[in-house]
Amino acid sequence: MAVPLFLLLCLAAFQTTASADLLSEYAHHAVLDPAEKMKLFWTVDWDAETVSFAVEAETTGWVGFGFSTGSGQMVGSDVVIGWVKDNKGYLKDRFADQKALPPMDKQQDYELTGFQESGGKTVLKFKRKFDTCDSRDIKLEQGVTKVVFAYHTEDPVSETDIKHHVFRGARSILLLNSMDKRDINETGWSTFPLTTKNVTVPTKETTYWCTLLKGPQLKSKVHITKFEPIIQKGNEGFVHHFLLYECHGNFVDKDFDQGVDCYNIANMPYAKCQAASIVAAWAVGGEVFYYPTHAGFPLGSSDSPRNFLLEMHYDNPENLAGRVDSSGVRIYYTDQLRQYDSGVISMGVKTDEWHIIPPKQKSWMSVGYCTEKCTKSIMKSTSLPEGGVNVFAALLHTHLAGVALWTKHVRNGKELPEIARDNNYDFNFQDIQILRKEINIQPGDELIHYCKYDSMDRNKLIKGGISSRDEMCLDFIFYYPRIPNIRYCQSQAFGPSYKLIDKYFPDVNVTSVKHNPLTNMNIDWTDEMVADFRKYKDDVKNVFPICGITNLTTIADSKNPDLTVPIPKITDPLPPEKSKCAQANRASWTNCRERASLTCRFCTVVWHVMRCDWCSLVKRYGTTDSLYHMYPHVMCFDFNANY
């Protein structure tokens, strides 16, 4: 029987209203799957160290949601399964230890706070702590979080009789590093798009396409307040990331054409713009970016860019032909000027052939430095009352082999809180992390950027470069006040490759600082060779600073120690974060011990029924304190579970 039109309209209105209510109730949201069958809403309470969630699913059956270890696989995930039946909500904390119905945890750490089922949808609301102190729960941390989700069309018969899912998926989100956008007022903002122009994506794995674009004709200074990606529908799998550069100079109409492969940009009049300051950065998985209310990127002033260079990274590993693209970025701006102009600097390892990673390595570290000499030079005079610059966001970036990244901050040898970290790096999800608290970098401070790689799937070394199969080790930091014409604060080390060549390939000559001969050689990497190269890398004490204060042009330059600077030394490490779980376990143990001692005092048969003869253990080991040190919390867990 046909459904009356007014009922369909009512249903659609209800569903729209429900989602709108959740958008206003929660600080963040994410569509979990392309078909938008499941959505996640959440708010972070940093004081209580809890997260409140709402999961919306297009089903009236059971709904599952949880956190994966980083692989996105269901096995090893910390999950909840819940449903609504007879106007009652159900939710249980579970752990997927195998490809079967996840068993319920003995320790239930998710609290059901609300539920609704109507209009063909189910909404479950719940909350949990960042760290539940339960080994069967995954700790929620800053950086990328991999979530898993599923549902069935029917409610379970019971908590142990639940049908296999009919829909499931996984995706990455920034759970703890997103901006609360609910109170942002966009009234009066203007926009303009900057996109490629019907580019036919080349039939090769990696293409960097450069397009010169005109900005709006502005009569006075304005501030960029927001930017968002414009990805042409159907091309989501081809557009990997983009950078938008300032582009100063006098250009003619023919320069604003369809653009060229960035490899062929050398003879173009806008080639120099690739060394200019970055205006915007985005990578696959990223969403809308808002500047803080007190800072914005300046346009329309005497030193502001009137034109832009859009560098688009296309990924086409299957060499598909005929794909046409007009993707790019939409810029939002306001004439209501903010207190500070902002900018972007990339920090880490210089992207070139001297950055190499041996094949078949489960864990390989690369480290780049923004040195004391660089920060003294580029941050020596700013408008901040306390000096230096304030960092408010970061985009961590490697390619396919990257698995983790983090950036340390050092002042006079003392390690300060990290700027950004991602222990679950996902090449297919690279979003800008919003720092919970802005970080001030002073002239003379040092930054150390670490990148961890896994090259087990490679048979040849990985070199630094722009291809997805090459590697990068960067952190794009968003900061204020803006320092004009500063784009990099990186480092470079030639020594490890030179030493490897001298020992294993003495007949090979280095002919250019731009080319590492190891990258074109068919090398059989032995364990000894890898160990030597690792040692050469770890023994580096000086690096070449890449921040505009050193110009390396010859082989002699690359061997000149006078052009190098010492790497940062941490003499006062940051104390490890104190675990609140240890205190909680101790308190729980004390309570357990008191109860157990009482049982021992009466020494009744009930203890033997609980399959744990505490009295005998106390007699054998002397005191309950001895048992605490010998059995950290397993005994207490067993006692509480059976008491």
Side-chain angles (χ1 to χ4, degrees):
M1 187 175 76
V3 179
L5 178 61
F6 79 91
L7 286 180
L8 291 175
L9 293 174
C10 289
L11 179 60
F14 173 83
Q15 292 175 344
T16 302
T17 302
S19 293
D21 290 343
L22 292 172
L23 284 171
S24 61
E25 181 179 352
Y26 291 89
H28 317 291
H29 77 280
V31 176
L32 296 181
D33 63 284
E36 301 189 18
K37 293 183 176 181
M38 292 188 69
K39 298 176 182 178
L40 176 68
F41 305 81
W42 74 98
T43 298
V44 179
D45 185 336
W46 283 96
D47 294 329
E49 295 189 354
T50 61
V51 184
S52 297
F53 297 96
V55 175
E56 180 187 85
E58 290 187 356
T59 184
T60 55
W62 65 258
V63 176
F65 174 80
F67 304 97
S68 173
T69 55
S71 64
Q73 299 298 315
M74 189 65 72
V75 175
S77 295
D78 167 21
V79 300
V80 290
I81 296 178
W83 58 93
V84 179
K85 187 175 183 179
D86 299 329
N87 295 320
K88 184 178 180 181
Y90 299 83
L91 188 86
K92 288 295 182 181
D93 181 8
R94 300 167 181 264
F95 186 81
D97 49 11
Q98 58 181 318
K99 291 184 177 180
L101 174 64
M104 289 181 285
D105 287 355
K106 292 182 179 179
Q107 182 175 316
Q108 291 290 307
D109 297 302
Y110 290 74
E111 177 186 346
L112 182 66
T113 58
F115 53 88
Q116 183 179 7
E117 183 179 274
S118 55
K121 291 187 177 183
T122 296
V123 175
L124 295 174
K125 299 180 180 181
F126 50 91
K127 68 178 182 179
R128 60 156 285 182
K129 295 179 179 179
F130 291 178
D131 190 353
T132 66
C133 303
D134 184 350
S135 61
R136 292 174 68 84
D137 288 339
I138 291 177
K139 183 179 179 181
L140 304 183
E141 298 179 305
Q142 298 191 58
V144 170
T145 299
K146 200 78 165 185
V147 299
V148 292
F149 47 92
Y151 68 68
H152 194 277
T153 55
E154 298 177 13
D155 289 332
V157 175
S158 68
E159 290 179 337
T160 57
D161 187 2
I162 300 177
K163 290 184 178 181
H164 194 68
H165 61 259
V166 296
F167 174 82
R168 65 150 294 183
R171 70 155 287 182
S172 296
I173 61 172
L174 284 178
L175 186 67
L176 304 183
N177 297 97
S178 296
M179 176 183 286
D180 187 343
K181 308 176 182 68
R182 290 175 296 179
D183 297 328
I184 296 176
N185 184 1
E186 300 188 24
T187 303
W189 291 7
S190 301
T191 73
F192 62 93
L194 295 169
T195 67
T196 54
K197 305 171 182 178
N198 294 319
V199 173
T200 299
V201 178
T203 53
K204 58 180 182 177
E205 179 180 352
T206 299
T207 300
Y208 278 72
W209 192 265
C210 288
T211 307
L212 182 65
L213 300 165
K214 291 181 180 180
Q217 298 297 315
L218 300 170
K219 296 180 180 180
S220 60
K221 181 178 177 179
V222 300
H223 270 147
I224 294 177
T225 55
K226 165 186 173 182
F227 59 81
E228 64 183 359
I230 303 173
I231 309 302
Q232 183 170 322
K233 189 173 180 59
N235 287 354
E236 294 84 356
F238 292 85
V239 180
H240 185 267
H241 75 261
F242 65 69
L243 293 174
L244 186 69
Y245 300 102
E246 298 184 11
C247 203
H248 297 273
N250 297 315
F251 305 104
V252 297
D253 287 344
K254 68 177 183 179
D255 296 327
F256 297 93
D257 58 10
Q258 194 178 44
V260 297
D261 190 311
C262 295
Y263 276 124
N264 302 322
I265 198 176
N267 297 321
M268 302 301 291
Y270 47 82
K272 62 181 181 180
C273 297
Q274 277 191 304
S277 294
I278 296 171
V279 179
W282 173 89
V284 63
E287 298 181 354
V288 177
F289 175 78
Y290 287 86
Y291 283 87
T293 55
H294 50 281
F297 191 93
L299 296 178
S301 57
S302 59
D303 63 342
S304 296
R306 288 177 171 78
N307 305 300
F308 302 88
L309 182 68
L310 178 62
E311 179 185 280
M312 184 73 73
H313 174 184
Y314 291 114
D315 225 6
N316 188 6
E318 297 181 9
N319 297 325
L320 299 178
R323 181 68 63 169
V324 177
D325 184 67
S326 295
S327 297
V329 58
R330 183 175 301 280
I331 302 293
Y332 293 73
Y333 64 93
T334 179
D335 58 5
Q336 301 296 311
L337 296 183
R338 299 177 170 188
Q339 185 176 0
Y340 295 106
D341 294 345
S342 67
V344 183
I345 298 178
S346 67
M347 299 186 176
V349 179
K350 183 181 180 184
T351 303
D352 66 6
E353 293 184 0
W354 298 98
H355 176 207
I356 63 174
I357 302 162
K360 303 301 179 185
Q361 301 304 303
K362 185 64 179 175
S363 178
W364 187 269
M365 294 294 301
S366 294
V367 186
Y369 306 94
C370 179
T371 65
E372 175 185 4
K373 189 172 183 179
C374 283
T375 59
K376 279 184 175 179
S377 172
I378 64 181
M379 300 178 185
K380 58 187 175 183
S381 58
T382 69
S383 59
L384 283 185
E386 64 273 31
V389 300
N390 283 353
V391 178
F392 58 87
L395 175 62
L396 299 170
H397 182 67
T398 73
H399 286 173
L400 287 167
V403 294
L405 307 85
W406 60 96
T407 305
K408 289 189 175 183
H409 182 196
V410 182
R411 179 174 297 161
N412 299 321
K414 182 177 181 178
E415 183 182 358
L416 302 177
E418 291 178 346
I419 289 181
R421 175 180 282 268
D422 189 346
N423 290 330
N424 298 301
Y425 181 76
D426 184 348
F427 177 71
N428 294 310
F429 178 84
Q430 301 177 53
D431 205 354
I432 300 171
Q433 293 190 27
I434 305 300
L435 306 192
R436 183 190 170 206
K437 295 181 179 179
E438 294 181 355
I439 295 176
N440 179 251
I441 301 176
Q442 288 282 312
D445 284 4
E446 298 169 298
L447 301 176
I448 310 174
H449 184 56
Y450 299 83
C451 295
K452 182 180 178 182
Y453 302 96
D454 181 345
S455 64
M456 291 298 291
D457 64 340
R458 306 296 181 93
N459 296 316
K460 295 182 178 180
L461 69 78
I462 306 172
K463 63 180 177 66
I466 63 175
S467 168
S468 296
R469 298 285 292 178
D470 296 338
E471 267 308 332
M472 293 184 175
C473 179
L474 299 173
D475 183 357
F476 294 96
I477 65 168
F478 292 69
Y479 72 96
Y480 68 85
R482 178 172 174 259
I483 305 170
N485 303 316
I486 296 297
R487 180 186 173 196
Y488 300 112
C489 192
Q490 302 173 0
S491 66
Q492 187 174 30
F494 298 91
S497 291
Y498 281 158
K499 289 180 179 179
L500 196 73
I501 291 170
D502 289 344
K503 179 173 180 178
Y504 292 95
F505 313 103
D507 296 332
V508 172
N509 294 320
V510 179
T511 59
S512 170
V513 292
K514 295 182 178 180
H515 176 61
N516 183 344
L518 293 172
T519 61
N520 285 339
M521 297 170 61
N522 189 16
I523 300 173
D524 182 15
W525 285 83
T526 64
D527 290 344
E528 179 187 5
M529 190 183 300
V530 171
D532 281 339
F533 188 64
R534 190 186 299 272
K535 183 177 186 304
Y536 300 152
K537 179 180 63 72
D538 293 344
D539 287 346
V540 168
K541 296 295 187 291
N542 288 64
V543 293
F544 292 89
I546 309 297
C547 58
I549 62 176
T550 302
N551 188 22
L552 301 172
T553 58
T554 68
I555 300 298
D557 290 339
S558 70
K559 297 181 178 181
N560 185 353
D562 293 336
L563 298 179
T564 66
V565 297
I567 65 172
K569 292 183 179 179
I570 299 177
T571 56
D572 185 4
L574 190 69
E577 183 180 353
K578 292 183 178 179
S579 172
K580 296 180 180 179
C581 293
Q583 300 172 3
N585 286 337
R586 178 70 186 192
S588 177
W589 176 265
T590 300
N591 180 53
C592 169
R593 184 182 59 196
E594 291 172 352
R595 291 160 63 195
S597 296
L598 179 64
T599 306
C600 286
R601 214 170 294 140
F602 291 98
C603 212
T604 62
V605 75
V606 69
W607 192 261
H608 296 274
V609 173
M610 291 188 279
R611 301 184 306 280
C612 183
D613 190 347
W614 184 274
C615 300
S616 298
L617 290 171
V618 172
K619 290 176 182 177
R620 180 175 180 182
Y621 293 108
T623 67
T624 51
D625 278 331
S626 301
L627 291 174
Y628 170 73
H629 293 294
M630 298 185 67
Y631 302 93
H633 59 265
V634 175
M635 293 296 299
C636 191
F637 177 79
D638 286 343
F639 181 86
N640 285 329
N642 293 286
Y643 188 73

